Short mmCIF file of all heavy atoms in Angstrom, two decimals:
data_model
loop_
_atom_site.label_atom_id
_atom_site.label_comp_id
_atom_site.label_asym_id
_atom_site.label_seq_id
_atom_site.Cartn_x
_atom_site.Cartn_y
_atom_site.Cartn_z
N LYS A 9 0.86 -1.18 0.00
CA LYS A 9 -0.01 0.02 0.00
C LYS A 9 0.89 1.23 0.00
O LYS A 9 1.02 1.94 1.01
CB LYS A 9 -0.94 -0.02 1.18
CG LYS A 9 -1.88 -1.19 1.16
CD LYS A 9 -2.82 -1.18 2.34
CE LYS A 9 -3.80 -2.36 2.23
NZ LYS A 9 -4.63 -2.43 3.43
N VAL A 10 1.47 1.53 -1.15
CA VAL A 10 2.48 2.61 -1.25
C VAL A 10 2.00 3.81 -2.08
O VAL A 10 2.70 4.80 -2.14
CB VAL A 10 3.80 2.10 -1.78
CG1 VAL A 10 4.38 1.02 -0.87
CG2 VAL A 10 3.68 1.55 -3.21
N SER A 11 0.84 3.69 -2.71
CA SER A 11 0.37 4.78 -3.59
C SER A 11 0.20 6.08 -2.86
O SER A 11 0.63 7.13 -3.35
CB SER A 11 -0.91 4.41 -4.27
OG SER A 11 -0.66 3.36 -5.21
N ALA A 12 -0.40 6.05 -1.73
CA ALA A 12 -0.66 7.31 -0.96
C ALA A 12 -0.58 6.98 0.52
O ALA A 12 -1.58 6.77 1.16
CB ALA A 12 -1.99 7.91 -1.31
N ILE A 13 0.64 6.92 1.03
CA ILE A 13 0.78 6.64 2.45
C ILE A 13 0.54 7.94 3.21
O ILE A 13 1.13 8.94 2.91
CB ILE A 13 2.23 6.12 2.76
CG1 ILE A 13 2.50 4.80 2.00
CG2 ILE A 13 2.37 5.92 4.25
CD1 ILE A 13 3.89 4.26 2.19
N THR A 14 -0.35 7.83 4.12
CA THR A 14 -0.73 9.04 4.91
C THR A 14 -0.12 8.96 6.29
O THR A 14 0.36 7.91 6.73
CB THR A 14 -2.22 9.20 5.04
OG1 THR A 14 -2.79 7.99 5.64
CG2 THR A 14 -2.93 9.43 3.66
N CYS A 15 -0.17 10.07 6.98
CA CYS A 15 0.33 10.20 8.33
C CYS A 15 -0.27 9.10 9.24
O CYS A 15 -1.45 8.77 9.08
CB CYS A 15 0.00 11.59 8.86
SG CYS A 15 0.49 11.88 10.57
N SER A 16 0.50 8.65 10.18
CA SER A 16 0.01 7.63 11.08
C SER A 16 -0.82 8.11 12.26
O SER A 16 -1.43 7.38 12.99
CB SER A 16 1.18 6.77 11.60
OG SER A 16 1.99 7.57 12.40
N SER A 17 -0.81 9.43 12.43
CA SER A 17 -1.58 10.01 13.57
C SER A 17 -3.05 9.88 13.35
O SER A 17 -3.55 9.96 12.24
CB SER A 17 -1.17 11.46 13.73
OG SER A 17 0.15 11.60 14.12
N TYR A 18 -3.77 9.73 14.43
CA TYR A 18 -5.23 9.59 14.37
C TYR A 18 -5.89 10.73 13.70
O TYR A 18 -5.61 11.92 14.01
CB TYR A 18 -5.74 9.43 15.85
CG TYR A 18 -7.24 9.21 15.95
CD1 TYR A 18 -7.80 8.04 15.46
CD2 TYR A 18 -8.07 10.16 16.47
CE1 TYR A 18 -9.13 7.83 15.56
CE2 TYR A 18 -9.44 9.96 16.60
CZ TYR A 18 -9.96 8.80 16.11
OH TYR A 18 -11.32 8.58 16.21
N LYS A 19 -6.75 10.44 12.72
CA LYS A 19 -7.53 11.44 11.94
C LYS A 19 -6.64 12.38 11.12
O LYS A 19 -7.12 13.47 10.73
CB LYS A 19 -8.47 12.23 12.85
CG LYS A 19 -9.60 11.39 13.40
CD LYS A 19 -10.67 12.27 14.03
CE LYS A 19 -11.80 11.43 14.51
NZ LYS A 19 -12.88 12.24 15.07
N CYS A 20 -5.42 12.04 10.89
CA CYS A 20 -4.55 12.88 10.03
C CYS A 20 -4.53 12.25 8.64
O CYS A 20 -4.22 11.09 8.51
CB CYS A 20 -3.13 12.96 10.62
SG CYS A 20 -2.03 14.00 9.60
N SER A 21 -4.80 13.05 7.65
CA SER A 21 -4.89 12.51 6.27
C SER A 21 -3.75 13.13 5.37
O SER A 21 -3.88 13.05 4.17
CB SER A 21 -6.23 12.77 5.69
OG SER A 21 -6.50 14.16 5.65
N VAL A 22 -2.76 13.71 5.98
CA VAL A 22 -1.66 14.30 5.19
C VAL A 22 -0.85 13.17 4.50
O VAL A 22 -0.48 12.18 5.16
CB VAL A 22 -0.73 15.15 6.09
CG1 VAL A 22 0.49 15.58 5.33
CG2 VAL A 22 -1.49 16.30 6.70
N SER A 23 -0.63 13.31 3.19
CA SER A 23 0.13 12.34 2.47
C SER A 23 1.63 12.54 2.75
O SER A 23 2.10 13.70 2.73
CB SER A 23 -0.11 12.47 0.96
OG SER A 23 -1.44 12.06 0.67
N LEU A 24 2.31 11.47 2.93
CA LEU A 24 3.76 11.54 3.20
C LEU A 24 4.52 11.64 1.89
O LEU A 24 4.18 10.94 0.93
CB LEU A 24 4.21 10.31 3.98
CG LEU A 24 3.50 10.04 5.30
CD1 LEU A 24 4.04 8.80 5.92
CD2 LEU A 24 3.61 11.19 6.26
N THR A 25 5.57 12.41 1.86
CA THR A 25 6.41 12.53 0.67
C THR A 25 7.38 11.37 0.61
O THR A 25 7.67 10.74 1.63
CB THR A 25 7.23 13.84 0.63
OG1 THR A 25 8.13 13.81 1.72
CG2 THR A 25 6.29 15.06 0.74
N GLU A 26 7.89 11.10 -0.56
CA GLU A 26 8.87 10.03 -0.75
C GLU A 26 10.14 10.33 0.08
O GLU A 26 10.71 9.41 0.71
CB GLU A 26 9.23 9.83 -2.20
CG GLU A 26 10.08 8.66 -2.46
CD GLU A 26 10.21 8.29 -3.92
OE1 GLU A 26 9.43 8.79 -4.71
OE2 GLU A 26 11.11 7.49 -4.21
N ASP A 27 10.53 11.58 0.12
CA ASP A 27 11.72 11.98 0.94
C ASP A 27 11.51 11.66 2.42
O ASP A 27 12.41 11.17 3.08
CB ASP A 27 12.07 13.43 0.76
CG ASP A 27 12.61 13.76 -0.63
OD1 ASP A 27 13.12 12.83 -1.28
OD2 ASP A 27 12.57 14.93 -1.00
N PHE A 28 10.31 11.94 2.92
CA PHE A 28 10.00 11.70 4.28
C PHE A 28 10.05 10.17 4.57
O PHE A 28 10.64 9.73 5.56
CB PHE A 28 8.61 12.26 4.64
CG PHE A 28 8.23 12.06 6.10
CD1 PHE A 28 8.61 12.98 7.02
CD2 PHE A 28 7.49 10.95 6.46
CE1 PHE A 28 8.25 12.84 8.39
CE2 PHE A 28 7.12 10.81 7.84
CZ PHE A 28 7.51 11.74 8.78
N ILE A 29 9.45 9.42 3.70
CA ILE A 29 9.42 7.95 3.86
C ILE A 29 10.84 7.40 3.82
O ILE A 29 11.20 6.57 4.68
CB ILE A 29 8.53 7.32 2.81
CG1 ILE A 29 7.07 7.71 2.97
CG2 ILE A 29 8.70 5.79 2.76
CD1 ILE A 29 6.17 7.40 1.84
N MET A 30 11.63 7.84 2.86
CA MET A 30 13.01 7.33 2.69
C MET A 30 13.89 7.58 3.90
O MET A 30 14.80 6.77 4.22
CB MET A 30 13.64 7.83 1.42
CG MET A 30 13.01 7.24 0.19
SD MET A 30 13.00 5.46 0.10
CE MET A 30 14.74 5.10 -0.04
N GLN A 31 13.66 8.70 4.63
CA GLN A 31 14.54 8.93 5.78
C GLN A 31 14.34 7.92 6.87
O GLN A 31 15.25 7.69 7.66
CB GLN A 31 14.28 10.35 6.30
CG GLN A 31 13.00 10.60 7.05
CD GLN A 31 12.90 11.99 7.57
OE1 GLN A 31 13.84 12.52 8.15
NE2 GLN A 31 11.73 12.59 7.42
N PHE A 32 13.26 7.20 6.88
CA PHE A 32 13.01 6.17 7.89
C PHE A 32 13.36 4.77 7.42
O PHE A 32 13.60 3.88 8.24
CB PHE A 32 11.57 6.22 8.36
CG PHE A 32 11.21 7.45 9.10
CD1 PHE A 32 10.52 8.47 8.45
CD2 PHE A 32 11.60 7.65 10.40
CE1 PHE A 32 10.25 9.67 9.11
CE2 PHE A 32 11.32 8.83 11.07
CZ PHE A 32 10.64 9.85 10.42
N ILE A 33 13.34 4.54 6.10
CA ILE A 33 13.58 3.17 5.61
C ILE A 33 14.87 3.02 4.85
O ILE A 33 15.23 1.88 4.47
CB ILE A 33 12.42 2.72 4.74
CG1 ILE A 33 12.30 3.51 3.45
CG2 ILE A 33 11.10 2.71 5.51
CD1 ILE A 33 11.39 2.90 2.40
N LYS A 34 15.62 4.08 4.68
CA LYS A 34 16.83 4.04 3.82
C LYS A 34 17.89 3.05 4.31
O LYS A 34 18.66 2.52 3.52
CB LYS A 34 17.42 5.42 3.69
CG LYS A 34 18.01 5.99 4.92
CD LYS A 34 18.52 7.36 4.76
CE LYS A 34 19.02 7.89 6.08
NZ LYS A 34 19.26 9.32 6.05
N ASP A 35 17.97 2.79 5.62
CA ASP A 35 18.96 1.88 6.13
C ASP A 35 18.59 0.42 5.99
O ASP A 35 19.43 -0.47 6.26
CB ASP A 35 19.25 2.19 7.63
CG ASP A 35 19.88 3.57 7.79
OD1 ASP A 35 20.56 4.04 6.83
OD2 ASP A 35 19.66 4.15 8.84
N ASP A 36 17.39 0.14 5.58
CA ASP A 36 16.90 -1.24 5.37
C ASP A 36 16.84 -1.45 3.87
O ASP A 36 15.81 -1.08 3.21
CB ASP A 36 15.52 -1.41 6.04
CG ASP A 36 15.07 -2.83 6.01
OD1 ASP A 36 15.27 -3.53 4.98
OD2 ASP A 36 14.45 -3.30 6.99
N ASP A 37 17.87 -2.04 3.30
CA ASP A 37 17.96 -2.15 1.87
C ASP A 37 16.80 -2.97 1.27
O ASP A 37 16.25 -2.63 0.22
CB ASP A 37 19.28 -2.85 1.42
CG ASP A 37 20.49 -1.97 1.68
OD1 ASP A 37 20.31 -0.73 1.75
OD2 ASP A 37 21.62 -2.51 1.82
N LYS A 38 16.43 -4.02 1.92
CA LYS A 38 15.36 -4.88 1.44
C LYS A 38 14.01 -4.11 1.40
O LYS A 38 13.27 -4.16 0.43
CB LYS A 38 15.22 -6.12 2.34
CG LYS A 38 14.44 -7.25 1.74
CD LYS A 38 14.33 -8.40 2.68
CE LYS A 38 15.41 -9.44 2.43
NZ LYS A 38 15.24 -10.64 3.21
N LEU A 39 13.73 -3.37 2.46
CA LEU A 39 12.49 -2.64 2.55
C LEU A 39 12.48 -1.46 1.51
O LEU A 39 11.46 -1.22 0.88
CB LEU A 39 12.28 -2.11 3.99
CG LEU A 39 10.91 -1.49 4.30
CD1 LEU A 39 9.80 -2.50 4.06
CD2 LEU A 39 10.86 -0.98 5.67
N SER A 40 13.58 -0.75 1.43
CA SER A 40 13.59 0.37 0.46
C SER A 40 13.52 -0.11 -0.99
O SER A 40 12.89 0.56 -1.80
CB SER A 40 14.84 1.27 0.68
OG SER A 40 16.03 0.53 0.58
N THR A 41 14.08 -1.24 -1.28
CA THR A 41 13.96 -1.86 -2.64
C THR A 41 12.50 -2.23 -2.87
O THR A 41 11.96 -2.01 -3.93
CB THR A 41 14.86 -3.06 -2.79
OG1 THR A 41 16.23 -2.63 -2.64
CG2 THR A 41 14.66 -3.71 -4.15
#
């Protein structure tokens, strides 16, 4: 489910940017691939 990942906070519908996402997953090669 990567098309429009939204904020994880309750009732927040802000879409996350790719840069934001990558800062959390970049160290996990398998997950970022």
Side-chain angles (χ1 to χ4, degrees):
K9 296 180 179 176
V10 299
S11 290
I13 299 177
T14 57
C15 176
S16 64
S17 296
Y18 182 67
K19 291 191 177 183
C20 181
S21 60
V22 173
S23 292
L24 305 179
T25 65
E26 187 168 346
D27 290 338
F28 183 86
I29 293 167
M30 289 305 292
Q31 73 177 317
F32 294 101
I33 66 168
K34 68 182 176 194
D35 295 333
D36 187 322
D37 292 337
K38 197 182 265 187
L39 190 60
S40 56
T41 298

